[in-house]
Amino acid sequence: NAGVTQTPKFRVLKTGQSMTLLCAQDMNHEYMYWYRQDPGMGLRLIHYSVGEGTTAKGEVPDGYNVSRLKKQNFLLGLESAAPSQTSVYFCASSYQSPDTQYFGPGTRLTVL
Amino acid sequence: AQKITQTQPGMFVQEKEAVTLDCTYDTSDQSYGLFWYKQPSSGEMIFLIYQGSYDEQNATEGRYSLNFQKARKSANLVISASQLGDSAMYFCAMREGLPLVFGKGTRLSVIA
């Protein structure tokens, strides 16, 4: 039981490049979330999903897209990376809405 | 207006002493949940404790307890018998509706 895993752990991009972050969970959770963490800002929700095939916008969705084609996977895409997207990205999942969220180890992304 | 306010950017505590980390929240909902997470220097987010708005008793988990004062809209985390391993960032979060909203965190340093 690996819990929540994230790929990759580190990545450096140039402005304008694209990439996809992968989140996988093996706990059969319905809900999955993507957050970004910036210094002094806490965690802010980018997008979330309440089940396979569904996605919704969070607090800071601009510049990101997501897909939940399989229940266990939640992908975060950056189509044209910008320096403002330099951050640590966390994926989380929960069984249901009021339940505890379990976090992945994070992905540190730098956009030059 | 901020939904979650953590007024202490940094705290110091002597090993083996108790410490209280403050958290106030803002909501007009009757049903909500409050969470505390720990983020050590390694970066992962670790769930500590949960309090539901209808729970009459304060939540406790080992050395962690949540001092829930509903009328004052506060949900302070109390750590008893601090250990060096408790040095970390601590985030208060609220579930109001679906996703979690996080505070900006408090950095706790435990001194030997």
Side-chain angles (χ1 to χ4, degrees):
Chain A
N1 188 338
V4 181
T5 58
Q6 292 182 230
T7 308
K9 289 186 169 53
F10 303 94
R11 186 70 186 268
V12 178
L13 290 178
K14 294 182 179 178
T15 297
Q17 287 185 319
S18 63
M19 78 161 296
T20 301
L21 281 67
L22 170 64
C23 176
Q25 52 93 5
D26 61 2
M27 297 175 282
N28 201 33
H29 285 172
E30 290 292 333
Y31 295 76
M32 297 186 75
Y33 316 83
W34 275 108
Y35 294 90
R36 61 178 287 173
Q37 184 179 27
D38 302 296
M41 296 294 292
L43 277 78
R44 293 181 293 170
L45 183 67
I46 304 171
H47 286 280
Y48 63 98
S49 168
V50 301
E52 182 178 322
T54 72
T55 63
K57 294 180 180 179
E59 181 185 356
V60 287
D62 294 341
Y64 305 95
N65 56 74
V66 288
S67 64
R68 183 99 182 268
L69 298 179
K70 293 183 179 181
K71 185 177 183 179
Q72 64 267 35
N73 295 337
F74 195 29
L75 305 178
L76 178 71
L78 286 74
E79 289 189 348
S80 180
S84 60
Q85 294 177 304
T86 293
S87 188
V88 179
Y89 292 85
F90 285 97
C91 176
S93 70
S94 63
Y95 182 66
Q96 55 189 5
S97 170
D99 207 352
T100 301
Q101 291 186 17
Y102 294 90
F103 284 79
T107 295
R108 185 173 295 276
L109 176 66
T110 302
V111 182
L112 303 176
Chain B
Q2 281 190 338
K3 292 283 188 179
I4 294 286
T5 302
Q6 295 181 251
T7 57
Q8 308 151 313
M11 291 275 289
F12 289 90
V13 64
Q14 201 76 33
E15 193 179 10
K16 300 180 184 176
E17 292 190 349
V19 63
T20 298
L21 306 184
D22 294 342
C23 173
T24 57
Y25 59 92
D26 181 24
T27 182
S28 56
D29 284 2
Q30 296 300 310
S31 177
Y32 52 91
L34 296 155
F35 299 78
W36 278 93
Y37 283 84
K38 172 184 178 182
Q39 186 178 42
S41 58
S42 53
E44 71 268 32
M45 295 287 289
I46 302 168
F47 165 73
L48 293 179
I49 197 166
Y50 167 78
Q51 178 88 38
S53 58
Y54 293 118
D55 295 340
E56 295 190 353
Q57 293 201 330
N58 287 343
T60 60
E61 290 284 349
R63 294 186 299 111
Y64 305 106
S65 61
L66 199 152
N67 185 358
F68 182 45
Q69 297 188 36
K70 196 169 182 176
R72 297 178 62 184
K73 294 188 176 179
S74 75
N76 298 339
L77 177 70
V78 180
I79 306 174
S80 62
S82 298
Q83 302 172 356
L84 295 178
D86 294 334
S87 294
M89 283 289 290
Y90 289 81
F91 292 96
C92 180
M94 177 174 66
R95 174 194 55 79
E96 180 192 40
L98 184 60
L100 288 181
V101 176
F102 284 81
K104 294 185 178 182
T106 295
R107 181 171 298 281
L108 177 66
S109 299
V110 181
I111 304 167

